[in-house]
């Protein structure tokens, strides 16, 4: 018989919901863009959560491979088009 939380959610669902915030912070953690106190919290979570640790390792590996593979700069025309598209998406998101 599977155990359920009083609100009707399965414990695995709760873990995934709780981990969502940490998973968002992993990118900033990898890039050293978190305050030291936040880094400690993320480190503690990674030490106790194997699924998040695996995702952290994957993100770090992908970032490393991309960094090694991207030694060329994109042509300016492409960079300009990407920036325009990003601004369009940001406007749509802010209007939502």
């Amino acid at each position: 018989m599977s155990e359920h939380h009083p609100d009707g959610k399965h414990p695995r669902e709760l873990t995934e919901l709780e981990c969502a915030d940490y998973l968002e912070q992993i990118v900033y953690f990898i890039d050293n863009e978190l305050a030291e106190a936040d880094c400690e919290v993320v480190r503690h979570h990674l030490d106790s959560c194997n699924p998040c640790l695996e995702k952290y390792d994957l993100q770090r590996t992908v970032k490393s491979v991309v960094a090694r593979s991207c030694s060329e700069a994109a042509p300016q025309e492409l960079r300009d088009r990407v920036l325009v598209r990003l601004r369009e998406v940001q406007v749509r998101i802010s209007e939502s």
Side-chain angles (χ1 to χ4, degrees):
M1 182 174 193
S2 68
E3 180 183 337
H4 282 77
H5 194 268
D7 67 2
K9 293 182 181 175
H10 190 276
R12 180 73 183 143
E13 292 175 289
L14 292 174
T15 301
E16 289 172 7
L17 290 173
E18 291 167 350
C19 290
D21 289 335
Y22 292 101
L23 293 175
E24 284 183 30
Q25 292 183 32
I26 284 175
V27 175
Y28 301 110
F29 180 72
I30 291 170
D31 291 339
N32 295 314
E33 295 178 357
L34 289 179
E36 186 54 38
D38 293 330
C39 286
E40 269 310 306
V41 172
V42 172
R43 278 188 207 102
H44 178 72
H45 181 77
L46 292 175
D47 287 344
S48 63
C49 182
N50 202 44
C52 284
L53 180 59
E54 289 174 5
K55 290 175 183 168
Y56 164 76
D57 287 338
L58 177 62
Q59 285 285 344
R60 194 178 58 183
T61 301
V62 168
K63 189 167 188 65
S64 174
V65 168
V66 169
R68 282 190 307 233
S69 301
C70 296
S71 58
E72 294 180 31
Q76 189 60 43
E77 182 181 322
L78 175 60
R79 294 168 56 108
D80 292 341
R81 286 193 328 235
V82 169
L83 287 173
V84 166
R85 184 70 180 121
L86 285 172
R87 288 185 192 114
E88 290 172 355
V89 170
Q90 288 173 334
V91 167
R92 272 193 260 144
I93 289 172
S94 66
E95 290 175 350
S96 298

